[in-house]
Amino acid sequence: MGRNRSGVLEFALLGLLHRAPMHGYELRQQLSSLLGTFRALSFGSLYPCLKELHAAGLIAEEHEEQDSSGKARRSRIVYRLTTEGKERLQDLLSEGGPATWDDDGFGVHFAFFGQTRADVRLRILEGRRSRLEERTEAIRAAFTRTRERVDSYTLELHRHGLESVEREVRWLNELIASERQGAQQTESARTDNDTSEKESS
Amino acid sequence: MGRNRSGVLEFALLGLLHRAPMHGYELRQQLSSLLGTFRALSFGSLYPCLKELHAAGLIAEEHEEQDSSGKARRSRIVYRLTTEGKERLQDLLSEGGPATWDDDGFGVHFAFFGQTRADVRLRILEGRRSRLEERTEAIRAAFTRTRERVDSYTLELHRHGLESVEREVRWLNELIASERQGAQQTESARTDNDTSEKESS
DNA sequence: GTTAGCATGTAAGGAGTTACATGATTTT
DNA sequence: AAAATCATGTAACTCCTTACATGCTAAC
């Protein structure tokens, strides 16, 4: 019945509010520069979603009525995460499943990699890569299946699409290598310092 | 009231059916390798849309019941464009407005560039380019506005996004140059042959 | 003869958008 | 004092998905 509340929006809002409490308008601005495509989310999506998160007890509203000497600055609602909201965010940050491989999901999860565990980061990067490799194969198949039968523009579209995906795979390869190196360094440092400790947070 | 019938789907279906009559299942396959993201359109979208196009008189159904010697191969509906459908497609092919600059619109219109007039092609390519240049500016602005205040992952996301958009701009530049060259050749050929003729179709 | 793929459809719902509506605050 | 921008919200609608339901045909 709750209309919204799933997909990437909830996650993005919780993630942003974890950095700092904010009001709706500011959240939208941050969202624009955060989301993969840099598209602006409409208010018609944003405010209902915030209300639902509030109704679900994940965020708290604070009506900013600090009339210090009469400068009553009403009508701004600052949201902050509740304890339950923080727990929910931690759950979402631990997710590394298929939902995090697709275009939208990956973009948002990557934006919050700074708050994500190293093992989850690697799972997401590798999942994303194999997802893109599937797409590469699909394009290549369409390529050989329809070659000769298509005009030069369709061919160029396929060629450019293929190149873009392959570039992103190379980008992911670099990131994965970098993550592995970081993990190895952490591992060896941990082994050097304390061999008995297991899975320290 | 008619649920669907706008956006890129109508255009893509009419464009595909202009190449050759087809049944729904085949249309979906062609669509998958045509649309920019190479995503598969669900049947739940496809069939209702075909029904609406039929109701609007743009396509004709032909129930494939050629029981040559009893091989009654029922339940396949082959669609083809009607005269009105062809006119509608020509209108859509002549469109070069803002709807053709965005991700979805551009992808589909580009796929049918082979059937598009040269001047419209150029308008679409240039519109798409300026659209992407706006996006470049937006990312760059977000870059300088938030630099130092963001973690390395967010920074890397912005950097990669910026690079991708800039690559597509360079691709468009090549295409535009190629179009201009083609137009010039056509122009000079036309001028050589018949100088008095103006705006021949 | 049963599984896999071809082929068509419906119902319900999810995730957003646009257009509308309101009012406060800052800038010109 | 007018215009722009900040700020919040609602209603209707769009486009698409998932899940369901059906039956035919080809392959193993």
Side-chain angles (χ1 to χ4, degrees), chain A residues 4 6 9 40-42 44-45 72-73:
Chain A
N4 228 323
S6 83
L9 190 47
L41 182 79
S42 69
S45 296
R73 223 212 233 185

Side-chain angles (χ1 to χ4, degrees), chain B residues 7-26:
Chain B
V8 296
L9 190 49
E10 173 190 8
F11 180 50
L13 293 177
L14 294 178
L16 282 174
L17 289 176
H18 187 243
R19 292 179 176 171
M22 260 177 278
H23 57 271
Y25 202 89
E26 195 179 355

Side-chain angles (χ1 to χ4, degrees), chain A residues 19 34 106-119 121-122 125 171 175-176 178-180 182-183, chain B residues 150-161:
Chain A
R19 292 178 176 172
L34 188 79
F106 176 73
V108 181
H109 276 264
F110 188 86
F112 293 112
F113 260 22
Q115 303 166 48
T116 307
R117 287 205 319 270
D119 61 317
R121 287 201 301 260
L122 202 58
L125 290 171
W171 179 62
L175 290 171
I176 288 167
S178 163
E179 287 285 333
R180 287 239 173 78
Chain B
V150 296
D151 57 299
S152 63
Y153 288 111
T154 306
L155 206 71
E156 179 62 22
L157 187 61
H158 284 199
R159 198 200 58 71
H160 179 250

